[in-house]
Amino acid sequence: MDVFATPSMAELAGPAAIALGTLSPAQTLFLQSIPKAELHAHLNGSIPISTLQELAAEYLLSQSSSSSSSSTTKSQAPDISDESVLLGIETLKAGPVLSEIHDFFSLFPAIYALTSTPTALSRATRAVLHTFLDGAFPQCTYLELRTTPRQTASMSRELYLTTVLDELERYDADKAGLIVSLDRRMGEDVIEECVRLACRLKEEGRRVVGLDLCGDPTAGDVQVFEPYFAEAKRAGLGLTLHIAETVQNPPEETLKLLSYNPDRLGHATFLNDEAIAIVLEKRMCIEICLSSNLLCKTVPTLEAHHILQYLKANHPISICTDDILPFRNSLLAEYALLLARPPYGLGLSEEQVRRVGEMSLEARFR
């Protein structure tokens, strides 16, 4: 087995790793063999730590060599100190302690600094795709990788997207697609640019399959996005929205997002009865990220997880990793949380777990 493509037990931690460790070899082989899609994986949160360490060493060398000259290399990355880059890498390597969901967002400035050039972004993307799609037992049958287009001194947002697509399109169309993410904190001019880029690239035959809304779940005004989501859907793009991630998200905001007719929902942790009724009626697939919810403390225990109501209703769900770097998980380990016996997992039957994998493939954007 390719240990880079499939994280070893030593690289895993937390509830998913524990669940995987309780399975028999036959059960693990079963999970490896079932067809399944990964539909909620953020590029910058899924870069292998070994790749980030290599990029960090090169970044610090370039910063050192440019510090005594007039080179523009120093300005090619976001305004972050070398010490902050190293601290971020060491924190991720050790396994961050997440007390609540906002602790998660503080981990990314260092990663953004290291992927601020086309060359570095290309390497990072290639490593992520390899992790999910290669090896004797690939993590998934199909991957929808998502990322927010960033503009840096070295890249326009268009170059950012085409750089990622160049790597993704090395794989067949039935293996990988790209979701363009919009951050809730974006200004309307940037939203418009990103949506127009996504629509044009799709029209040109590039592998852009959908649009996502992400970022700090308590930031921004979601009404701003309405015309742009409608434009994306007219262009044939799928729509998935991070929704109701925290108790601070008001029900009115959730209902507004649901009125945009998304195809899938990310997390959907705190839906009220009215919102749940809409989701069930419209059969909107829920992207379930078990470890993410548990480690960010948005769900107290596995037994209290909202996945149970959707399993009971035979509602479409997709098991996802979210960000394998800070959560130190894998798609295999997330599926182990379904199969492992309580208290380590939900204790689903193999047939139930196989059906979950089928639902994830059925929910992919085409």
Side-chain angles (χ1 to χ4, degrees):
M1 185 187 304
D2 189 329
V3 295
F4 182 51
T6 304
S8 68
M9 286 296 294
E11 296 171 306
L12 302 175
I18 294 170
L20 184 59
T22 69
L23 300 184
S24 68
Q27 288 175 310
T28 301
L29 182 59
F30 163 75
L31 292 181
Q32 290 171 325
S33 66
I34 60 172
K36 49 190 172 294
E38 165 59 87
L39 302 180
H40 190 126
H42 296 272
L43 189 157
N44 284 288
S46 301
I47 304 170
I49 191 65
S50 58
T51 301
L52 284 175
Q53 289 171 318
E54 292 171 4
L55 291 173
E58 295 168 15
Y59 170 87
L60 294 175
L61 181 62
S62 71
Q63 299 296 74
S64 175
S65 64
S66 65
S67 61
S68 58
S69 72
S70 59
S71 169
T72 60
T73 303
K74 190 77 175 176
S75 65
Q76 288 180 348
D79 185 14
I80 181 172
S81 68
D82 295 349
E83 292 77 13
S84 294
V85 173
L86 283 175
L87 179 61
I89 295 299
E90 289 305 314
T91 299
L92 288 164
K93 183 179 178 182
V97 177
L98 303 173
S99 298
E100 50 94 25
I101 192 170
H102 288 90
D103 292 341
F104 171 76
F105 295 103
S106 66
L107 300 173
F108 283 95
I111 298 174
Y112 294 155
L114 300 181
T115 57
S116 60
T117 68
T119 300
L121 178 63
S122 179
R123 285 171 59 187
T125 303
R126 190 179 313 146
V128 172
L129 291 164
H130 184 68
T131 298
F132 280 108
L133 294 173
D134 295 335
F137 292 104
Q139 288 287 300
C140 55
T141 310
Y142 173 80
L143 169 68
E144 283 180 357
L145 189 62
R146 60 182 67 188
T147 191
T148 304
R150 288 187 291 117
Q151 181 173 301
T152 72
S154 301
M155 287 186 291
S156 64
R157 292 185 179 87
E158 180 173 7
L159 180 55
Y160 183 102
L161 288 176
T162 56
T163 298
V164 174
L165 284 166
D166 286 345
E167 293 296 332
L168 186 145
E169 289 167 353
R170 294 173 183 265
Y171 294 83
D172 293 340
D174 63 350
K175 292 293 184 184
L178 177 66
I179 296 176
V180 176
S181 292
L182 306 177
D183 193 295
R184 291 172 61 120
R185 295 164 294 187
M186 281 179 172
E188 195 162 355
D189 56 335
V190 178
I191 297 170
E192 180 176 6
E193 179 186 359
C194 292
V195 172
R196 297 285 162 80
L197 279 171
C199 293
R200 177 168 61 79
L201 288 167
K202 177 178 175 57
E203 185 178 0
E204 292 173 356
R206 303 303 302 263
R207 197 87 58 73
V208 179
V209 298
L211 210 64
D212 166 42
L213 179 66
C214 68
D216 184 341
T218 61
D221 178 4
V222 300
Q223 295 189 71
V224 172
F225 293 89
E226 182 172 8
Y228 303 104
F229 291 154
E231 180 180 351
K233 288 184 76 76
R234 286 194 297 271
L237 291 169
L239 181 61
T240 179
L241 307 176
H242 284 67
I243 191 170
E245 291 184 75
T246 73
V247 292
Q248 286 78 38
N249 293 112
E252 296 77 17
E253 177 188 87
T254 297
L255 293 175
K256 173 59 70 174
L257 288 171
L258 291 176
S259 74
Y260 302 153
N261 293 314
D263 303 286
R264 300 198 313 250
L265 303 174
H267 301 292
T269 313
F270 297 98
L271 300 180
N272 64 15
D273 290 343
E274 183 179 3
I276 291 172
I278 294 170
V279 169
L280 293 175
E281 178 187 358
K282 296 190 175 183
R283 304 286 290 172
M284 297 173 179
C285 177
I286 309 295
E287 299 160 356
I288 298 287
C289 305
L290 295 167
S291 289
S292 172
N293 298 153
L294 292 170
L295 294 174
C296 287
K297 311 295 194 297
T298 56
V299 174
T301 64
L302 192 60
E303 295 77 16
H305 200 283
H306 51 288
I307 187 177
L308 296 172
Q309 67 184 351
Y310 297 113
L311 288 170
K312 184 177 180 180
N314 194 30
H315 184 82
I317 61 171
S318 173
I319 299 299
C320 309
T321 56
D322 203 4
D323 296 90
I324 63 175
L325 178 60
F327 300 134
R328 299 179 71 180
N329 62 342
S330 69
L331 193 59
L332 176 68
E334 291 299 298
Y335 269 78
L337 285 167
L338 300 180
L339 188 61
R341 304 302 303 173
Y344 306 107
L346 294 174
L348 301 187
S349 69
E350 289 192 353
E351 187 54 40
Q352 287 175 305
V353 175
R354 188 188 303 277
R355 177 58 188 145
V356 170
E358 291 172 351
M359 286 193 289
S360 70
L361 287 165
E362 292 165 0
R364 61 185 172 174
F365 297 147
R366 303 175 189 274

